[in-house]
């Protein structure tokens, strides 16, 4: 059993976990294959953020069973942690269930599987460890992820993450910097720092947390790594988002001028029921910091509609928040009840139709704003990192520092060989979510 196939759902944290899992397996002599047909071990890294994501998992596990009977199946990630040994009952063909807080036990668990054990679990959340691997298989040739903090100590009333990813654990600044330098040596110029709440990073190597060895300090230090051109980060929590982060971005163009700052609701009353630990006004102040920065910062966010008890007036406050945010883009979700979460105490009385109505109202308003805002970008020259070539339109696919997609024509077309390069492009066409242009 030496060939494995892995399939990944969920957030960037999961995507990067899979890269580290692949590194760990390859380091033990396993070979990664591109299809489940070619594999003896099938791994499935799962997400449980909303009910739909979780439903998918069991449907997919049944499919695997139908087509690949007799192989070894492993369930990783958030559904693994949440459902634990219940997965063996619902899907008896699964032999291994491992949550992300136990990935550093993978080598040992693999030995048990190789020995022929039929039920192997790694489900402890009681950990201070982070998942460090000597080897990480990076999927994207242009952008590399670096985890800086794992887990989450907040208790947002709707959210499973504190139950699926365990307590907050920061890596040391030194190991993060070492990884960044190694990535530059490997040829990467863009890195993305990852964590459920990067803003609460504190260097565990420095005793006492008030010494300034916080997230803004880390950003400044990473921004100085020679050879790095772009540093991004996700995700931020407004409670721990301090103005010093905006100042750090203002000081150093290597730090990308894009911030994802999930707001969830524009109503203080809803935020309080959500246990978000900030008010509408606190959030507006953070918008103000970003809007008055010297560099133009693109802001994106997440919203939940239909949280229990959300009245029409409370929803109207979320609608009006969009005017203040002037968001680059917005991810909108319908509230979904999750196991273990504090919000289970409330009845989920808002109907699916009503959630959909609110969802569409927000979506339509945001889309209209994006069309208007993006039209102002016409004729601008932007620096883009070229990430691909679009065969259908004969355009290079570029990303700006603000994380906007700018597809552009080049006089030499594909011959220009721009992949992985930085190029200047003038915006000649704008739409709600991407822009078109030509090499400048
Ligand atoms: N229902 C709906 N959306 C949710 N999110 C997190 N938990 C839930 C839930 N139970 C959304 C939040 C979060 C994003 C990643 O997913 O907006 O920021
Ligand atoms: Fe899904 Fe959250 Fe787990 Fe990421 S951390 S995979 S979004 S449940």
């Amino acid at each position: 059993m030496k060939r494995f196939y892995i399939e990944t759902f969920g957030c960037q944290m999961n995507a990067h976990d899979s890269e580290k899992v692949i590194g760990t397996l390859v380091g033990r002599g396993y070979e990664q294959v591109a299809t489940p047909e070619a594999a003896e071990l099938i791994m499935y890294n799962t997400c449980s953020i909303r009910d739909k994501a979780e439903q998918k998992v069991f449907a997919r596990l049944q499919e695997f069973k139908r087509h690949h009977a007799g192989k070894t199946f492993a369930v990783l990630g958030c559904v693994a942690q949440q459902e634990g040994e219940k997965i063996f009952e619902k899907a008896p063909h699964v032999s291994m269930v491992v949550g992300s807080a136990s990935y550093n036990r993978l080598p040992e668990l693999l030995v048990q599987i190789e020995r022929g054990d039929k039920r192997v679990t790694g489900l402890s959340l009681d950990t201070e460890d982070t998942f460090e691997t000597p080897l990480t298989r990076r999927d994207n040739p242009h952008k590399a992820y670096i985890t800086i903090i794992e887990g989450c100590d907040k208790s947002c009333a709707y959210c499973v993450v504190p139950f699926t990813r365990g307590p907050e654990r920061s890596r040391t600044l030194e190991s993060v910097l070492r990884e960044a330098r190694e990535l530059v040596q490997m040829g990467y110029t863009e890195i993305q720092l990852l964590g459920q709440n990067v803003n609460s990073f504190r260097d565990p190597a420095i005793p006492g947390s008030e010494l300034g060895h916080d997230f803004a300090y880390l950003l400044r230090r990473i921004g100085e790594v020679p050879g790095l051109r772009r540093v991004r980060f996700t995700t931020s929590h407004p409670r721990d988002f301090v103005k010093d982060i905006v100042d750090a971005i203002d000081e150093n163009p290597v730090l990308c001028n894009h911030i994802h700052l999930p707001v969830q609701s524009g109503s203080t009353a809803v935020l309080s029921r959500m246990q978000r630990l900030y008010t509408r006004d606190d959030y507006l102040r953070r918008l103000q910091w970003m809007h008055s920065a010297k560099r133009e910062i693109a802001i994106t966010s997440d919203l939940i509609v239909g949280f229990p008890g959300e009245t029409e007036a409370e929803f109207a406050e979320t609608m009006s928040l969009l005017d203040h945010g002037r968001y680059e883009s917005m991810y909108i979700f319908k509230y979904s009840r999750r196991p273990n979460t504090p919000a289970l105490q409330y009845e989920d009385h808002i109907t699916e139709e009503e959630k959909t109505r609110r969802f569409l109202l927000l979506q339509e308003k945001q889309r209209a704003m994006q069309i208007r805002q993006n039209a102002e970008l016409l004729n601008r020259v932007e620096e883009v990192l070229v990430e691909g070539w679009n065969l259908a339109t004969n355009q290079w696919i570029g990303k700006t520092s603000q994380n906007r997609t700018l597809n552009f024509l080049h006089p030499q077309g594909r011959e220009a060989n721009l992949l992985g390069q930085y190029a200047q492009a003038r915006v000649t066409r704008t739409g709600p979510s991407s822009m078109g242009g030509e090499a400048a």
Side-chain angles (χ1 to χ4, degrees):
M1 191 191 62
K2 281 293 181 191
R3 279 173 304 181
F4 73 99
Y5 165 80
I6 187 165
E7 200 165 288
T8 307
F9 275 86
C11 58
Q12 286 153 330
M13 264 64 78
N14 257 19
H16 185 42
D17 279 347
S18 284
E19 293 181 336
K20 292 198 266 185
V21 168
I22 294 166
T24 305
L25 267 73
V26 169
R28 292 185 48 81
Y30 283 75
E31 181 197 346
Q32 187 187 9
V33 291
T35 61
E37 283 73 24
E40 286 104 38
L41 168 64
I42 297 181
M43 305 189 105
Y44 190 25
N45 193 357
T46 59
C47 172
S48 66
I49 194 84
R50 283 168 292 274
D51 191 47
K52 264 203 199 118
E54 189 181 333
Q55 299 295 326
K56 247 191 236 158
V57 171
F58 290 100
R60 186 73 179 124
L61 283 175
Q62 283 316 309
E63 253 173 56
F64 278 143
K65 182 181 169 190
R66 244 194 339 272
H67 300 297
H68 306 283
K71 297 189 174 179
T72 306
F73 298 92
V75 180
L76 311 180
C78 293
V79 176
Q81 188 65 52
Q82 182 189 293
E83 297 296 299
E85 301 192 349
K86 274 187 274 172
I87 290 182
F88 296 137
E89 290 160 32
K90 290 198 207 171
H93 54 297
V94 172
S95 329
M96 189 170 172
V97 176
V98 188
S100 68
S102 304
Y103 288 159
N104 51 3
R105 287 186 53 217
L106 270 178
E108 160 203 342
L109 297 171
L110 285 168
V111 170
Q112 294 174 22
I113 284 283
E114 282 162 14
R115 242 184 9 215
D117 288 9
K118 287 280 169 278
R119 294 275 184 269
V120 174
T121 57
L123 293 168
S124 170
L125 278 180
D126 180 22
T127 180
E128 294 188 353
D129 297 339
T130 50
F131 182 28
E132 311 274 338
T133 49
L135 221 100
T136 301
R137 224 294 310 279
R138 312 265 171 187
D139 268 335
N140 182 323
H142 312 295
K143 176 166 82 179
Y145 294 123
I146 300 185
T147 309
I148 63 165
I149 181 167
E150 292 178 18
C152 181
D153 279 352
K154 294 280 183 290
S155 48
C156 302
Y158 49 80
C159 190
V160 286
V161 171
F163 308 96
T164 60
R165 288 189 162 264
E168 220 169 71
R169 293 99 66 199
S170 293
R171 286 177 62 194
T172 63
L173 176 62
E174 207 33 63
S175 68
V176 171
L177 286 172
R178 194 181 324 121
E179 194 170 355
R181 289 187 211 107
E182 282 167 10
L183 287 167
V184 170
Q185 299 229 300
M186 290 161 67
Y188 288 96
T189 57
E190 175 170 325
I191 60 172
Q192 180 160 358
L193 308 174
L194 292 181
Q196 291 299 338
N197 177 8
V198 289
N199 307 149
S200 64
F201 171 88
R202 292 288 179 283
D203 187 353
I206 307 291
S209 54
E210 307 81 39
L211 295 170
H213 289 249
D214 59 3
F215 179 60
Y217 179 73
L218 175 141
L219 274 183
R220 288 191 170 93
R221 295 291 308 275
I222 293 262
E224 290 166 354
V225 171
L228 263 188
R229 297 279 299 264
R230 286 184 172 180
V231 176
R232 306 185 181 280
F233 56 90
T234 43
T235 189
S236 288
H237 189 295
R239 166 74 170 220
D240 304 309
F241 185 84
V242 293
K243 178 157 182 304
D244 202 25
I245 296 171
V246 179
D247 293 344
I249 291 174
D250 257 347
E251 287 158 22
N252 185 352
V254 167
L255 305 177
C256 289
N257 46 345
H258 165 226
I259 294 173
H260 183 66
L261 192 64
V263 59
Q264 314 301 359
S265 168
S267 149
T268 296
V270 175
L271 289 171
S272 157
R273 292 201 294 281
M274 287 179 167
Q275 298 171 197
R276 285 290 284 176
L277 310 174
Y278 56 88
T279 62
R280 176 186 172 95
D281 281 347
D282 293 333
Y283 189 86
L284 290 178
R285 208 168 314 122
R286 282 148 184 77
L287 285 176
Q288 188 54 38
W289 297 338
M290 293 185 276
H291 285 146
S292 53
K294 290 199 241 14
R295 294 173 68 203
E296 194 180 89
I297 295 179
I299 311 168
T300 55
S301 194
D302 296 341
L303 280 172
I304 296 177
V305 291
F307 187 76
E310 185 186 64
T311 63
E312 196 54 44
E314 287 165 349
F315 173 68
E317 290 193 274
T318 297
M319 285 289 280
S320 81
L321 187 87
L322 295 190
D323 298 316
H324 295 278
R326 306 202 296 274
Y327 292 104
E328 168 67 25
S329 72
M330 176 64 77
Y331 301 90
I332 309 165
F333 305 102
K334 298 183 210 173
Y335 170 68
S336 160
R337 274 164 81 82
R338 305 311 294 127
N340 305 314
T341 56
L344 289 181
Q345 65 181 298
Y346 306 118
E347 206 186 319
D348 181 18
H349 71 285
I350 301 179
T351 61
E352 189 59 26
E353 292 70 42
E354 181 56 21
K355 284 179 188 166
T356 302
R357 189 185 71 87
R358 294 180 189 186
F359 174 94
L360 291 172
L361 281 168
L362 280 169
Q363 194 185 49
E364 190 40 49
K365 175 164 183 171
Q366 177 60 28
R367 189 183 143 86
M369 289 185 71
Q370 283 175 211
I371 291 173
R372 264 202 319 278
Q373 288 161 189
N374 288 350
E376 290 168 19
L377 303 171
L378 211 60
N379 286 323
R380 259 216 227 174
V381 175
E382 295 269 1
E383 182 180 71
V384 293
L385 168 58
V386 181
E387 294 188 345
W389 169 257
N390 187 328
L391 263 179
T393 60
N394 280 332
Q395 284 177 319
W396 289 103
I397 303 167
K399 273 271 153 70
T400 70
S401 171
Q402 294 184 310
N403 209 29
R404 294 188 173 116
T405 302
L406 170 49
N407 299 319
F408 64 102
L409 296 163
H410 191 281
Q412 286 153 293
R414 207 172 183 174
E415 305 297 298
N417 237 343
L418 294 178
L419 212 58
Q421 312 274 317
Y422 290 82
Q424 303 288 321
R426 181 184 308 282
V427 179
T428 56
R429 189 183 53 73
T430 65
S433 51
S434 71
M435 305 180 287
E438 51 198 33

